[in-house]
Amino acid sequence: MRDWAADAALAASTAIAAVDERGVVTWTNAAWLRSTSPLATGLFADTVVGTDLFAHLGTAQRGGAIASRLREVLAGRLGSFEEDLSAGRGSRAEVLHVAALGDRRRGAVLLRTPGGPSAEVDHPAPGGLAGGERLTPREHDVLRLMARGLDNRAIGTELGISYTTVRTHVRSIIDKFGARSRLDAVVRANRDGVVSDG
Amino acid sequence: MITTPLGIGGEVIGSPAHACLLHEGQAEGRRLAAALIGPALLDRQQAVVLMETRGARPSLVDDLAAGADEAFRAADREGRVRRLLYTSDADECLELFAAALDDLAANGISLTRVLARPRWGAQDFPPAEDHLWLESRLNALVARRRTVFICAYDTSSLPGVSVVLGGLETHPTLIFGERAAENPSYLEPDRFFRERLLHLPWLGRSA
């Protein structure tokens, strides 16, 4: 399989997932996991490694046509990913552009979402905050309460600060972790030992 | 707690309440939505709040205006119908709900019926995990207010995970098959947060 990690520009700017011949997701890139595009979060909110994409798409309203197209690709009826890229073939944000890549006998497939996020520079540093940024003491206070599931108004009440201030801190925390959401920031913080579970 | 007609099946529902309405397809959703807000439209002491995503087609208002006709228009003229739009910030959505409910109560409304229509994957809608968190946090918000808060889940268009986690485990009341009942799958917010939200498989992953 092509080394997408080495192709930084493409990997950073395009939400990509790899699916094998059984329809099981075998790999996703950071942009896929952080994508806020409707396709990535809606249809594929739970399509992480190990998900049976055919089964998942079969239950989604728009999934029927996409699943059929995916099966066509796996049957080897579409061209290579590189050819499609160079020819500028793609489709609108609501339609997946499906391409076959690599050894078709193994059935490796990439799903490329043309409406994905714009080019990103940062990938989260393994085991640390994105870009090495550190939280301020107050951000630590806010994060600790986010990790208990509190909403911003409840956090403000506990810390004696305004709702607006809490909201600013929450957004900063999400950005510093390179997270896709409030919950994602908490999970990353737990994983990295910045705050403990529960 | 006060009870009020649910609007379907001759049922009543206690307030405050946070309920998940499970339906299949737009037609059934439209019919049930019109029925569920009916009691609030007819009572001048009650109000309706409609929450949906920006650009939803058909919109809740279109659906309800078509089904409830004069009762809906009259309530709207009287200022008893409010429209809210989801944003991508789940906490901001909580604030919008709270502000609307509190403002209506301050203006003499005794009971507000909220009908929310989540659209996972829609633009201007929270990420899935944050929407689940929002649904769970709504329970504390609802408990302090006179409201019947109904979230409509279309099982034909939402991913299964949204129905199981978002619908079944965050709502104390379930409306299904024109019956309202206590939801045995409901998890208290703290437990839902610890046992579900912190373990969602797609979170916290790096390249």
Side-chain angles (χ1 to χ4, degrees), chain A residues 38 45 152-153 180-181 184 191, chain B residues 91 95 121 129 137 202 204:
Chain A
N152 292 359
R153 195 160 288 280
R180 55 176 264 156
S181 67
D184 191 40
R191 178 199 65 193
Chain B
D91 193 275
E95 288 293 305
E129 61 273 16
R137 291 303 295 183
W202 63 83

Side-chain angles (χ1 to χ4, degrees), chain B residues 21 29-30 32-38 40-41 46-54 56 58-69 71-73 75-76 79-87 93 96-97 100-101 104 112-118 125 147-152:
Chain B
L21 166 67
R30 188 181 306 122
L32 291 171
L36 286 166
I37 69 164
L41 296 178
Q46 296 192 33
V48 171
V49 173
L50 305 175
M51 181 85 160
E52 60 185 334
T53 51
R54 187 180 304 275
S59 74
L60 262 178
V61 174
D62 293 339
D63 273 352
L64 294 169
D69 56 69
F72 184 88
R73 287 192 287 272
D76 199 13
R80 295 191 290 114
V81 177
R82 300 279 179 97
R83 297 162 180 78
L84 300 177
L85 293 175
Y86 282 102
T87 75
C93 295
L96 288 173
F97 284 130
L101 292 172
L104 287 164
T112 298
R113 199 163 294 215
V114 179
L115 185 62
R117 193 157 66 182
F125 191 79
T147 181
V148 174
F149 201 115
I150 301 170
C151 304

Side-chain angles (χ1 to χ4, degrees), chain A residues 29-105:
Chain A
N29 70 342
W32 175 276
L33 296 170
R34 293 204 302 269
S35 175
T36 57
S37 74
L39 283 171
T41 58
L43 283 177
F44 303 116
D46 54 352
T47 53
V48 294
V49 173
T51 302
D52 180 342
L53 200 57
F54 287 147
H56 180 69
L57 288 175
T59 63
Q61 185 179 34
R62 291 172 294 174
I66 297 170
S68 296
R69 188 166 172 79
L70 177 60
R71 287 191 173 91
E72 284 184 0
V73 169
L74 292 175
R77 294 178 200 155
L78 292 182
S80 72
F81 188 74
E82 288 87 348
E83 289 172 357
D84 286 334
L85 276 182
S86 60
R89 279 193 286 272
S91 40
R92 299 192 181 277
E94 291 298 301
V95 178
L96 284 178
H97 174 85
V98 184
L101 176 74
D103 186 347
R104 289 210 182 95
R105 289 171 297 178

Side-chain angles (χ1 to χ4, degrees), chain A residues 143-198:
Chain A
L143 177 60
R144 178 172 47 83
L145 296 176
M146 285 169 67
R148 284 169 45 192
L150 270 62
D151 56 61
N152 292 359
R153 195 160 288 280
I155 292 172
T157 299
E158 283 244 358
L159 297 178
I161 58 178
S162 73
Y163 169 81
T164 306
T165 300
V166 173
R167 186 175 62 183
T168 301
H169 288 317
V170 169
R171 288 179 177 173
S172 174
I173 290 165
I174 293 172
D175 286 343
K176 287 185 177 181
F177 275 99
R180 55 176 264 156
S181 67
R182 178 187 196 96
L183 254 299
D184 191 40
V186 169
V187 169
R188 288 171 185 270
N190 283 335
R191 178 199 65 193
D192 297 344
V194 176
V195 66
S196 55
D197 277 9

